[in-house]
Amino acid sequence: MNKMQWIRINFIIVCIGVSLIASFNYIIDRYGLNNMVHLEGINTNKISNTNITTRFQISTLSHGGYDTLLLGSSRIGVMDPKVVDRYLGGHSFSLGQPRSVTSIQYDLFLYALEFNTIKNVVYGIDFLSFNKNNMINTEYLDKEEKIKSRNREYNFDVYFSFDSFIKNLKFIKHNISGQDVSKIKEPAVYLPENGMRKHVVYIEALKNGTLDLDNEIHEHLRQYFGGKENNIYYNYTFSDKYLEYFKKIVRYCHDHDIRLWVYMPPMLGEHFDAIYAAGYFDEYEHYEKEIAKITDFIDFTGINTISMDKDNYWDSSHLREEFTPVVMARIFYDTSVKVPNDFGVLVTKENVDAHLDALRTQVRPYDIRPLLINNN
Amino acid sequence: MLFNSFEFIFVFLPITFFVYFYLNHKRLTEVAKGFLVFASLFFYSWWNIVYLPLILLSILFNYVIGRQLANHDKNERKYSKKALLSIGVFFNLSLLGYFKYSDFFIRNFNMVFDSNVPLLHLALPLAISFYTFQQIAYLVDSYRSETKEYDFLNYTVFVAFFPQLIAGPIVHHAEMMPQFANIRNKVKNYYNIALGLFIFSIGLFKKIVIADTFATWATNGFDKAEVLNLIEAWFTSLSYTLQLYFDFSGYTDMAIGIALLFNIKLPINFNSPYKATSIQDFWRRWHMTLSRFLKDYLYIPLGGNRKSEVRTYANLFITFLLGGIWHGAGWTFVFWGALHGLALVIHRFWKRMGFRMHALLGWFITFNFVNVSWVFFRAKEWDDAIKVLKGMIAIDQIYFPVALSGKLHFLEKYGIGFSHFWTSHISANFVSFIWLFTGLILVFFFKNSIEMAKNFKLSYRTALFSAIAYIVSILSLNKVSEFLYFNF
């Protein structure tokens, strides 16, 4: 073999090898990032892209085409954007970033504005988003620079990846052998067209009668209240800095004629009780008061007809998808939908004190110790 | 710009290569050289352009001093040549000292005198340790009248030539300049290109696929875990030992491969160091150009082994102590350097006494010494080093996987436990052990890349081997990480 031949052959093999693997990854697309090729029994049943939440969100948003944002934590992620579309007539994207604080929500909000003409924001604001000690997820941190500099997200690195190749092979093996794909997926999955967190595993388990709801609720409460540093309410301290980010979003919407609806997503009654038992209720009241100073909002928290029934939830925090119409009907004042009277209270700076007094009376005794003990 | 990045492999390198040879082909050799300088400085500035003025100042200053030194005798200058050299060396060391060691000295000053002098928090200019050493060598060579006269463009190419600029190998003026001057090197040499691509592919694979894999376990063990049991601690230290080897030698391979594309032969920097049978042998095989620099410009000027035996020991020790400090402004580096200095002193004493040791035992001791001393080299804090070392001797903290408890339950009476979490602190699993085992086999029993390059044949086998290395590496570039020696 001569020198030129060697170089040429080397180059050709590399080009063919890289192209083949990248094309394979693009076609198999286990996360549903492009959804271009559907091969029945091979790649149609996608796995959860929960582990690439931020990538998925910014990659989808950077293609544009949305006029409504559902902003907030994972609690807004489980709401169905199609229901919002019915009221606003546009194209909504669910920008629910799990356990996010308001600075993250602000960055994502500005990122979405860069590539879309946003006219409406439905903001589900959470107590957890104001915890000074809330840990920020590493996947978001990896993308933070890109989000802040408003750079478009491409997925080339997912396709041009040997790691993806191996995982796609495993994914195909699962599909072909008829094994349960849920074994390789997380409990939530984003729907590519609108970013909603759809709890497919829960849905399947519910259908099969294997959903252990008590356990899910308990595990979730541990993730919030357990004493570990990475728990959501760990050493809860209300952050004025995070409040400023919330203010910025509200101000931005007002200044740019973006219609804004703010609400506090519903949580299971036990979760609400546990906030009191954990000694965070003063902080909780402070949080609601501060929000009321900035904007009116609909408060779905507390003990009410919906929150008292655990079967309405997937765990302690996430309301089931089928309740989206009820929540949105209250937010958009749709009287044609039957909404329990005690579900969703309009809170303003005038009635916030009375509302909080009422909330305090709703608190029921709750034994928080098992959550703390099991976690340490 | 990193060698292991998309922008370097697919944009910078091809453009630089083709433009450079196109200009040479058009007989615009000076323009081609100028372009190479521009490309190298662009490569350097990619990280942060604020570093650029400093390197240019350093190049200009050393060039002027070097020329004065080289022309001193010819021009019968009235000033002292030695004084001029001293000024030159002082300037280089001051630059290095200011940027690299200011905060280290202030921190220690504050500690000793209980004062509160604020730290400067200076950003360490990229590659300052490397280009400073390279230029000190140039000044000394000029003082010894061992350099020929070259113009500023030539000198800038010598310092800034991008394959070796960031992390070595540390090159000599005398071995580089004739290559840049050689007219035959200005024409594309397809054998060199094939060989360069072959070596580059090995280096890229070493860095991306192997070193970065070991990095995960090393980082978990050193930086994340709070305690380590015996197996975890050994896994951590060995992971770093392999990570450093594959990272640094991978970088050097890439540098050698890229330089070959331009018909420049960089010196060998690694020769299977973990096969060394003594500590002296190790330093003849590890970062060979640094060892050469330390020997020629520190150990020998200190007196080398020409004075008394005690002085020889002292010179050895001082050389390695300073070598340790050169690697980083921290007491862990000083201690690491001292450990190696001490080991070399013991080795010399051993040899002088006429004692002998079986090569296998020598290898075993050397490898383990190197492995243990890397713990200090890697640890960010003393406590981290102690944590890992404590784990390595924690014979009461041995755990095997529960799956083995059935067959090996008799070990329990020797204090060995079985746990589901036997390697959980470093997030290792069964596959990790296969990696570790394979890594060790590769460094102990396989030919190194330079040996492979020596036997390089233009065949389908080597083309396929290299192509597979490229494919896997290119498809792993999405987890780009910096080279360890960038920090030193």
Side-chain angles (χ1 to χ4, degrees):
Chain A
M1 181 187 281
N2 70 34
K3 302 165 246 180
M4 278 300 286
Q5 248 181 328
W6 191 97
I7 295 167
R8 212 172 288 145
I9 285 173
N10 184 275
F11 184 73
I12 291 168
I13 298 173
V14 172
C15 288
I16 292 175
V18 169
S19 313
L20 275 179
I21 290 176
S23 309
F24 174 81
N25 287 338
Y26 187 82
I27 291 166
I28 299 306
D29 183 32
R30 71 193 187 285
Y31 285 129
L33 282 171
N34 61 63
N35 274 315
M36 290 301 285
V37 184
H38 299 278
L39 303 169
E40 199 53 48
I42 298 208
N43 75 343
T44 41
N45 194 9
K46 307 293 183 190
I47 64 166
S48 167
N49 49 24
T50 311
N51 290 333
I52 55 161
T53 297
T54 314
R55 169 193 289 278
F56 172 77
Q57 289 176 339
I58 63 174
S59 157
T60 312
L61 282 171
S62 62
H63 286 97
Y66 295 97
D67 51 24
T68 299
L69 284 182
L70 274 66
L71 189 63
S73 69
S74 60
R75 287 175 187 173
I76 196 159
V78 293
M79 297 285 100
D80 186 353
K82 285 178 195 155
V83 177
V84 178
D85 290 344
R86 270 185 238 148
Y87 290 104
L88 301 176
H91 198 182
S92 305
F93 183 79
S94 179
L95 193 47
Q97 173 78 206
R99 70 180 300 171
S100 57
V101 292
T102 53
S103 60
I104 293 178
Q105 292 158 10
Y106 177 71
D107 290 342
L108 288 168
F109 169 66
L110 293 185
Y111 187 87
L113 290 172
E114 180 76 19
F115 304 99
N116 302 271
T117 311
I118 301 296
K119 295 174 189 156
N120 312 296
V121 172
V122 181
Y123 197 172
I125 190 69
D126 264 312
F127 182 47
L128 70 91
S129 301
F130 294 88
N131 182 10
K132 197 156 110 183
N133 299 312
N134 196 349
M135 279 176 72
I136 293 173
N137 80 59
T138 50
E139 205 242 332
Y140 174 81
L141 291 175
D142 288 343
K143 298 279 174 197
E144 193 177 14
E145 202 184 314
K146 181 167 264 176
I147 294 167
K148 285 189 167 159
S149 54
R150 320 258 195 281
N151 284 330
R152 203 179 284 276
E153 173 72 353
Y154 297 101
N155 293 315
F156 294 124
D157 56 333
V158 176
Y159 305 128
F160 286 88
S161 161
F162 199 72
D163 188 44
S164 286
F165 176 66
I166 302 291
K167 285 178 179 160
N168 277 327
L169 283 178
K170 275 188 197 164
F171 171 69
I172 292 179
K173 194 182 136 206
H174 261 83
N175 276 317
I176 291 176
S177 62
Q179 282 178 287
D180 185 2
V181 184
S182 69
K183 281 181 184 155
I184 51 168
K185 64 188 171 190
E186 300 284 323
V189 67
Y190 282 83
L191 290 180
E193 67 270 24
N194 59 22
M196 183 193 169
R197 286 171 71 88
K198 201 172 174 77
H199 284 248
V200 284
V201 173
Y202 286 162
I203 293 167
E204 277 172 31
L206 187 66
K207 216 186 293 173
N208 304 334
T210 54
L211 180 67
D212 185 350
L213 196 52
D214 286 329
N215 184 51
E216 292 298 337
I217 290 169
H218 182 74
E219 280 305 309
H220 233 253
L221 285 169
R222 277 203 321 144
Q223 286 173 27
Y224 276 85
F225 294 95
K228 277 187 178 173
E229 245 179 67
N230 59 351
N231 286 327
I232 297 169
Y233 290 150
Y234 174 74
N235 200 12
Y236 192 102
T237 311
F238 185 81
S239 162
D240 291 330
K241 187 182 95 182
Y242 290 153
L243 185 68
E244 279 305 311
Y245 280 103
F246 176 71
K247 269 187 205 167
K248 279 185 184 182
I249 295 174
V250 174
R251 203 178 305 135
Y252 190 97
C253 289
H254 287 164
D255 293 349
H256 293 82
D257 290 330
I258 296 171
R259 292 192 293 171
L260 174 71
W261 292 265
V262 177
Y263 77 97
M264 289 182 184
M267 57 177 101
L268 183 67
E270 279 181 45
H271 192 117
F272 177 72
D273 298 330
I275 289 176
Y276 186 88
Y280 298 144
F281 210 79
D282 289 345
E283 294 279 20
Y284 187 81
E285 287 183 326
H286 177 65
Y287 145 73
E288 286 220 6
K289 279 181 191 169
E290 289 299 322
I291 299 296
K293 281 181 200 166
I294 300 164
T295 180
D296 297 348
F297 61 91
I298 307 280
D299 187 2
F300 290 97
T301 66
I303 305 299
N304 52 54
T305 311
I306 302 283
S307 72
M308 279 193 296
D309 187 353
K310 68 179 182 186
D311 287 328
N312 297 338
Y313 292 81
W314 291 123
D315 47 50
S316 79
S317 313
H318 299 100
L319 196 66
R320 289 188 192 172
E321 180 188 340
E322 56 264 35
F323 287 91
T324 312
V326 182
V327 172
M328 294 305 156
R330 174 68 86 217
I331 292 172
F332 293 109
Y333 298 104
D334 178 3
T335 49
S336 68
V337 177
K338 197 173 173 336
V339 182
N341 284 336
D342 58 353
F343 188 57
V345 177
L346 173 65
V347 180
T348 64
K349 54 177 169 289
E350 285 77 28
N351 74 356
V352 65
D353 289 329
H355 172 66
L356 289 170
D357 286 344
L359 277 186
R360 203 174 259 273
T361 61
Q362 292 169 7
V363 178
R364 303 162 305 181
Y366 185 84
D367 185 5
I368 195 103
R369 285 172 305 178
L371 300 176
L372 303 172
I373 293 163
N374 287 346
N375 208 48
N376 290 310
Chain B
M1 207 177 296
L2 296 165
F3 289 168
N4 56 324
S5 63
F6 284 110
E7 59 266 29
F8 179 82
I9 296 172
F10 297 112
V11 182
F12 177 84
L13 187 58
I15 290 176
T16 308
F17 174 83
F18 285 113
V19 173
Y20 176 72
F21 282 110
Y22 175 78
L23 292 171
N24 276 317
H25 179 69
K26 294 284 171 193
R27 300 188 188 285
L28 299 166
T29 52
E30 284 305 296
V31 181
K33 204 184 292 166
F35 172 75
L36 198 56
V37 168
F38 170 77
S40 296
L41 293 174
F42 177 84
F43 168 85
Y44 184 77
S45 308
W46 185 261
W47 273 277
N48 196 339
I49 200 155
V50 298
Y51 299 138
L52 187 61
L54 189 72
I55 193 175
L56 287 175
L57 172 77
S58 173
I59 290 172
L60 185 63
F61 178 85
N62 282 294
Y63 173 70
V64 172
I65 298 281
R67 267 189 77 106
Q68 294 301 315
L69 285 168
N71 296 333
H72 186 275
D73 300 332
K74 205 167 24 181
N75 298 338
E76 293 176 358
R77 303 278 183 196
K78 286 184 181 139
Y79 53 81
S80 154
K81 201 176 174 185
K82 207 166 191 172
L84 195 60
L85 174 68
S86 305
I87 290 168
V89 173
F90 179 77
F91 169 82
N92 281 298
L93 292 180
S94 302
L95 216 58
L96 187 62
Y98 177 70
F99 283 103
K100 193 165 177 173
Y101 301 103
S102 295
D103 280 352
F104 177 61
F105 283 120
I106 293 172
R107 226 174 273 128
N108 286 296
F109 181 85
N110 285 343
M111 203 168 65
V112 172
F113 297 102
D114 201 19
S115 58
N116 202 15
V117 180
L119 300 178
L120 301 179
H121 295 297
L122 299 167
L124 183 67
L126 200 66
I128 190 169
S129 305
F130 283 93
Y131 67 69
T132 302
F133 265 29
Q134 196 161 312
Q135 294 188 101
I136 288 174
Y138 165 72
L139 293 184
V140 176
D141 290 349
S142 299
Y143 172 79
R144 293 172 181 163
S145 305
E146 289 170 3
T147 57
K148 287 185 188 165
E149 193 177 312
Y150 292 102
D151 63 19
F152 182 62
L153 201 55
N154 278 327
Y155 181 73
T156 313
V157 174
F158 155 65
V159 179
F161 183 46
F162 72 90
Q164 49 84 37
L165 170 65
I166 307 295
I170 299 169
V171 292
H172 269 293
H173 191 258
E175 67 196 347
M176 298 300 288
M177 296 320 299
Q179 294 194 65
F180 286 118
N182 189 340
I183 196 77
R184 278 187 300 182
N185 286 346
K186 297 185 189 304
V187 182
K188 266 188 249 148
N189 178 325
Y190 289 102
Y191 180 79
N192 279 349
I193 294 170
L195 184 59
L197 290 173
F198 180 73
I199 299 175
F200 185 81
S201 69
I202 296 173
L204 193 64
F205 188 87
K206 275 182 178 178
K207 162 64 188 164
I208 302 276
V209 181
I210 308 182
D212 287 353
T213 301
F214 284 114
T216 315
W217 302 307
T219 304
N220 287 344
F222 276 101
D223 302 337
K224 294 182 182 168
E226 286 176 15
V227 285
L228 296 167
N229 64 41
L230 188 117
I231 289 177
E232 288 170 333
W234 276 94
F235 201 101
T236 299
S237 69
L238 288 170
S239 290
Y240 182 68
T241 294
L242 292 174
Q243 182 201 351
L244 185 60
Y245 172 78
F246 285 110
D247 188 285
F248 193 20
S249 73
Y251 182 92
T252 308
D253 288 346
M254 281 189 259
I256 290 172
I258 298 162
L260 262 179
L261 301 180
F262 295 87
N263 298 321
I264 301 296
K265 285 182 181 148
L266 293 180
I268 300 168
N269 216 20
F270 286 89
N271 184 18
S272 302
Y274 294 157
K275 290 178 187 167
T277 54
S278 71
I279 192 67
Q280 187 185 41
D281 188 22
F282 173 78
W283 278 104
R284 283 180 182 149
R285 292 164 173 264
W286 177 273
H287 205 343
M288 294 151 77
T289 55
L290 174 68
S291 301
R292 179 177 70 173
F293 176 89
L294 292 175
K295 184 182 150 220
D296 292 348
Y297 301 100
L298 195 57
Y299 178 68
I300 291 175
L302 281 171
N305 57 5
R306 298 186 310 276
K307 311 276 166 130
S308 67
E309 192 61 18
V310 176
R311 269 294 295 276
T312 305
Y313 294 145
N315 292 340
L316 264 177
F317 187 77
I318 290 167
T319 302
F320 277 88
L321 195 67
L322 292 175
I325 296 171
W326 175 80
H327 277 90
W331 286 109
T332 48
F333 286 110
V334 176
F335 189 67
W336 171 79
L339 278 178
H340 276 267
L342 196 64
L344 277 147
V345 168
I346 293 169
H347 173 261
R348 189 177 171 88
F349 179 75
W350 178 275
K351 265 176 69 181
R352 188 176 150 76
M353 289 293 112
F355 299 141
R356 295 184 68 81
M357 187 185 285
H358 191 278
L360 201 62
L361 183 60
W363 165 80
F364 182 78
I365 292 171
T366 306
F367 178 73
N368 279 289
F369 169 77
V370 168
N371 182 46
V372 168
S373 60
W374 283 144
V375 171
F376 292 97
F377 192 82
R378 167 62 176 81
K380 287 180 182 159
E381 308 287 344
W382 276 106
D383 290 349
D384 295 333
I386 301 302
K387 171 189 74 184
V388 176
L389 290 174
K390 242 176 156 175
M392 288 170 82
I393 54 169
I395 49 170
D396 57 337
Q397 291 287 316
I398 306 175
Y399 294 99
F400 285 161
V402 169
L404 297 176
S405 61
K407 285 180 182 166
L408 302 176
H409 65 92
F410 65 92
L411 290 173
E412 281 174 359
K413 64 182 171 204
Y414 301 108
I416 292 171
F418 294 90
S419 167
H420 286 292
F421 307 105
W422 64 300
T423 51
S424 60
H425 292 114
I426 54 170
S427 304
N429 54 25
F430 177 67
V431 178
S432 318
F433 281 86
I434 295 177
W435 270 98
L436 187 72
F437 186 68
T438 311
L440 291 171
I441 297 279
L442 283 174
V443 296
F444 294 149
F445 299 108
F446 276 69
K447 281 182 181 169
N448 61 49
S449 42
I450 299 305
E451 287 166 336
M452 287 165 81
K454 271 183 195 158
N455 300 324
F456 175 69
K457 285 191 179 73
L458 294 160
S459 65
Y460 288 104
R461 205 167 138 244
T462 53
L464 187 66
F465 173 85
S466 168
I468 291 172
Y470 273 121
I471 292 168
V472 179
S473 304
I474 288 170
L475 293 171
S476 305
L477 286 178
N478 50 355
K479 45 177 185 180
V480 166
S481 62
E482 287 187 358
F483 294 94
L484 292 177
Y485 256 72
F486 281 7
N487 300 324
F488 301 141

